[in-house]
Amino acid sequence: MTSRLSISLGNLAANYQLLCKHNQGPVAAVVKADGYGLGSVAIAQRLLREGCETFFVATPEEGADLRSGLVAAEAEQAKIYVLSGVYSEVLPLFTRHNLTPVLNTAEQIQTWSPLQRPAALHFDTGMHRLGLPLQPEDFIGLPFNVELFVSHFANADERGHESIKKQQERALSCYSVLRAHYPEIQFSLSNSAGVLNDLDVPQLARAGIALYGGNPFVNENNPLLPVVRLQAKVLQVRTLPPDTSVGYGASYTTTEKTDVATLGVGYADGVPRLLSGKGNVWFAAGRAPMVG
C-alpha cells in the first residue's frame, strides 16, 4: 500500500461540539455526497452519539441509503431532510424511508401536498439559487404541516459582510408570518460560516464543510480540526540540475539544483491533476510544492 486516507471521527465530534457552542439552538449535520465522501453512515452514527439528531442529504436516494445503513435505534432517532425536494417518481422513497423534503418550488409543493406529511419550505433570501419567492402569504393553509423554514447565506464566509444582516432580516420577516400559521415551525438559516458568525438568532443550524475540517471563511484562519488526512509513501527522490523539466508537457522546470520526490498517490486516490503546480504536500520537515 503506497497511500492511506485516515478519517478522525474524534476530530469530527470536536468540530461538531465547537459549532454547537456558537449556535443558539441545535446543529444539524449536512451529510450529502456520502458525508462529503467520508461515509455518511459512519459520520451520522458518530454525530448521533454527540447529540445530533437532524441530518440533511442532497437526494432521496442518499436519504434512503442513510436510513437503511443506521441500526434500528439510530434510524428511528434520526430526522433526515432532502435538500433537492421531491418529484413524483421518488415519492415512494420518502414514504418508505421516512424522509422529509425541503420544498423549493410551487411544483414541488403541489407534488407533496396529497401525502399530507410534514415538510420544510426553502425561501430565497439572496442566494439566488434554489428557493421560493419571499411571499409567505402564498404558502398559508397548505394541506400539510410546515415544520421548518430554510434559507441560505450567500456571503457568511466573509464575516461582517453587509448581505448577512439583510438576508437575516428578510428571513426573519418571512418566518414570522409563517409562524403565525404554523406555530411549531423551526427557523434554519445558518450554514457552517453562519454558525461561526455568532448570530443572535435561535435556530436549527446546518453545518457542512466545517464539520469535516474545511475552513468556512475566505479570509480567516481555520478554527476547525482536520478530519481527513491523506498519506503517501515516497517512492523515489532525485536531485535534478538547473533547467531540467519535470512531468507531462514539461510543465515545471527547475531554476536551481532541486530535490524532487515522487509519491505513491494519484488520481485513483482522489488527487486531481489540476493540483499540478498549485497544490502542496507536507513532510516532517515542512511544506513542499507539487510540481510537474
Side-chain angles (χ1 to χ4, degrees):
M1 180 183 297
T2 61
S3 63
R4 178 175 63 190
L5 183 74
S6 303
I7 300 170
S8 173
L9 294 178
N11 282 1
L12 173 85
N15 288 342
Y16 179 75
Q17 294 301 338
L18 174 65
L19 292 162
C20 287
K21 290 179 181 178
H22 283 266
N23 189 56
Q24 293 193 33
V27 175
V30 180
V31 294
K32 61 187 179 181
D34 194 26
Y36 285 52
L38 305 183
S40 61
V41 173
I43 295 295
Q45 286 173 330
R46 181 54 192 264
L47 292 178
L48 280 163
R49 288 165 50 191
E50 299 299 317
C52 179
E53 297 184 353
T54 304
F55 301 89
F56 285 81
V57 296
T59 67
E61 291 82 5
E62 289 181 353
D65 288 344
L66 177 59
R67 183 76 74 189
S68 299
L70 297 172
V71 299
E74 295 169 337
E76 183 178 348
Q77 183 182 2
K79 177 78 175 182
I80 303 176
Y81 285 101
V82 178
L83 290 165
S84 62
V86 68
Y87 35 100
S88 58
E89 55 265 42
V90 296
L91 279 174
L93 285 177
F94 281 87
T95 55
R96 188 181 311 133
H97 297 281
N98 190 23
L99 308 176
T100 304
V102 178
L103 301 174
N104 303 287
T105 67
E107 292 77 14
Q108 290 185 354
I109 291 175
Q110 186 175 12
T111 299
W112 186 251
S113 290
L115 274 67
Q116 299 185 353
R117 294 165 61 98
L121 294 185
H122 178 200
F123 289 87
D124 179 17
T125 58
M127 183 73 164
H128 303 306
R129 199 166 61 179
L130 288 175
L132 297 160
L134 279 175
Q135 299 168 348
E137 61 278 359
D138 292 343
F139 307 100
I140 302 303
L142 297 174
F144 56 83
N145 182 43
V146 179
E147 63 182 22
L148 186 67
F149 169 98
V150 174
S151 193
H152 197 79
F153 280 125
N155 295 97
D157 56 348
E158 300 178 57
R159 196 187 299 273
H161 193 281
E162 61 179 10
S163 70
I164 296 175
K165 183 177 180 181
K166 292 179 180 179
Q167 281 195 255
Q168 181 176 312
E169 291 174 348
R170 294 177 194 136
L172 287 172
S173 176
C174 182
Y175 171 70
S176 65
V177 174
L178 293 171
R179 191 177 182 186
H181 298 270
Y182 306 103
E184 297 181 359
I185 188 173
Q186 286 184 284
F187 185 74
S188 182
L189 176 60
S190 285
N191 53 359
S192 291
V195 173
L196 294 172
N197 270 270
D198 295 306
L199 304 178
D200 188 21
V201 182
Q203 62 173 309
L204 172 71
R206 307 181 309 277
I209 189 65
L211 280 176
Y212 309 100
N215 191 350
F217 295 113
V218 297
N219 52 8
E220 298 182 24
N221 292 330
N222 191 354
L224 289 312
L225 295 176
V227 172
V228 184
R229 185 182 186 189
L230 179 61
Q231 296 171 287
K233 288 185 177 181
V234 176
L235 302 182
Q236 185 183 52
V237 178
R238 301 182 66 182
T239 300
L240 302 178
D243 198 31
T244 302
S245 63
V246 179
Y248 288 115
S251 59
Y252 176 80
T253 302
T254 60
T255 58
E256 58 185 353
K257 183 179 178 181
T258 304
D259 290 333
V260 177
T262 300
L263 308 183
V265 65
Y267 314 144
D269 307 291
V271 180
R273 185 173 176 177
L274 290 175
L275 286 180
S276 177
K278 299 178 181 178
N280 294 279
V281 297
W282 277 259
F283 293 86
R287 186 174 66 174
M290 296 172 65
V291 301

